[in-house]
Structures are given as C-alpha cells and as structure tokens.
Amino acid sequence: MRIRIVFSAALAALGLMFLLPVAAHAHGDTVKVVVTGQREGHVTADVTWENDGDAVEEAVAATVNAVSVDGSRTMGPWRLVRDTAAAPAGWTTAEALPPGSWKVSVDVGFPSLGHGDLEVAVPVVDPAPVTPTPVASAPAPVPSASAPVSSSASAPAASSAQGTTEPAADTEGYAVWWTTAGVAVTAVAGAAVGLLLRRRRRVRLDRLN
C-alpha cells in the first residue's frame, strides 16, 4: 500500500515536470513590446506574448532609452515597472522625461526577447495660476470740523442767513414808525394842553376885570 502511494506521487511529479515546459512554451518564444506614449513624462508600454497576445504575468527585465530628436540629449537606461493605473499588460517608468520630442526604445530581455520604439512628445506644463489675495479697500475719509465746506453746502446756509436778516430789518422799520407816531401824538397832546391852559387864564382874567 505504501509502495503504491509513493509510486503515484512520483508519477504526478513527473507529469508536472513535463507539463510546466509545455505551458511555458504555449505563449511563444518572444514578447511583443508596444510603446504607447507617455503620461506626465513617464514612458508607457504594453508587453504581451507575441504568440497569443496574453499579458506577461512574470517579472519583466527591460531597459528604456530615450534620445532627443535633435540628438543633443539622452536619457536612460531606465527599467520598466508595473503600471497599476493601466491594463494588466501595461508597464511604465518611474522616471519622467523632460518636455520635448524624444525617440524612445524599449528592449526586453526576460522572460523572452522583445523590442519596441516610438517618437514621444512631452508637452510643457504651465504652472497653476496664482489667485491674487483680495485687498480690503480703505474706508472713505470722514471730513473734519475744520475742513472747508463746499459751495453747494454754503449756498443753503447763505440763503438761510438772508432769511433770518430780513425779518430783523422789518422789525427795525416798525420800531422807527412807532417812535415817529409817538412823537407826533405827544406833540399834538402838548399843544392841546397848552391851548387849554391859555383859555383858562383868559377866563380868570376876564372874571377879575
């Protein structure tokens, strides 16, 4: 019984040893590398098995190199890392290209050989606009007591002053009139009294004679 168990386990192990190479070679001997562009300067690429188009689930050993279109600048070599924001076949770089046009090439050495290249343009990103801080406006100045008064304000004052002086002039005229009338009445009364006294004297003189 024990011999049968050991023999069955050995056959299963041999079967797995033969099945693993078959499963590995089912995808093909090469990988397909497609450089898809860039995202904020980070190179993006899809790595799949060329035979069936399945995403490579194993670790990928690849290098990324970039040369400016005019040939004055070079970047890399960088390595590819999993792009968690993309599909299962997506890969990217941890480093970012500066703004400009670049000829990017990706070379894969494991799990199989593969190559891809593409001309990538990295735009210049404008900085975020700065919002100006609102400045509180200064309060309007309050005119002081010694401040000059405008002509528009002085006009009503002048008119009111004139209105107050006119009744004063009328009152003064009335006072002069009443004074003159009083003097005239007094003079008439004095004359009448004088005539009365003269008449009484004449009457007395006539009686004595």
Side-chain angles (χ1 to χ4, degrees):
M1 185 66 179
R2 186 175 297 176
I3 295 174
R4 288 181 180 180
I5 295 174
V6 173
F7 183 72
S8 298
L11 288 178
L14 289 174
L16 290 174
M17 291 177 62
F18 285 105
L19 287 175
L20 286 175
V22 173
H25 288 288
H27 292 295
D29 296 332
T30 57
V31 294
K32 182 180 180 181
V33 181
V34 178
V35 181
T36 57
Q38 61 84 31
R39 184 173 62 250
E40 297 180 355
H42 300 274
V43 178
T44 57
D46 289 341
V47 180
T48 58
W49 292 102
E50 190 170 11
N51 186 31
D52 53 15
D54 291 342
V56 177
E57 298 178 354
E58 296 88 342
V60 171
T63 56
V64 180
N65 291 277
V67 181
S68 61
V69 173
D70 58 4
S72 61
R73 293 180 295 173
T74 59
M75 304 296 292
W78 299 333
R79 68 185 187 91
L80 284 180
V81 296
R82 287 278 184 184
D83 189 356
T84 57
W91 296 79
T92 186
T93 57
E95 299 82 2
L97 292 171
S101 297
W102 302 87
K103 295 180 180 178
V104 178
S105 61
V106 178
D107 292 287
V108 178
F110 182 86
S112 292
L113 299 179
H115 174 80
D117 52 33
L118 182 71
E119 185 172 325
V120 175
V122 180
V124 178
V125 179
D126 295 331
V130 179
T131 304
T133 303
V135 180
S137 58
V142 179
S144 60
S146 60
V149 182
S150 62
S151 59
S152 60
S154 61
S159 61
S160 62
Q162 293 177 0
T164 54
T165 54
E166 287 178 358
D170 294 341
T171 305
E172 184 178 356
Y174 291 146
V176 173
W177 185 84
W178 280 108
T179 303
T180 304
V183 172
V185 170
T186 304
V188 171
V193 171
L195 290 174
L196 182 59
L197 291 175
R198 288 178 184 178
R199 185 174 290 181
R200 286 182 179 181
R201 286 180 182 180
R202 287 178 183 179
V203 171
R204 287 179 181 181
L205 291 174
D206 291 339
R207 288 178 179 180
L208 292 175
N209 293 328

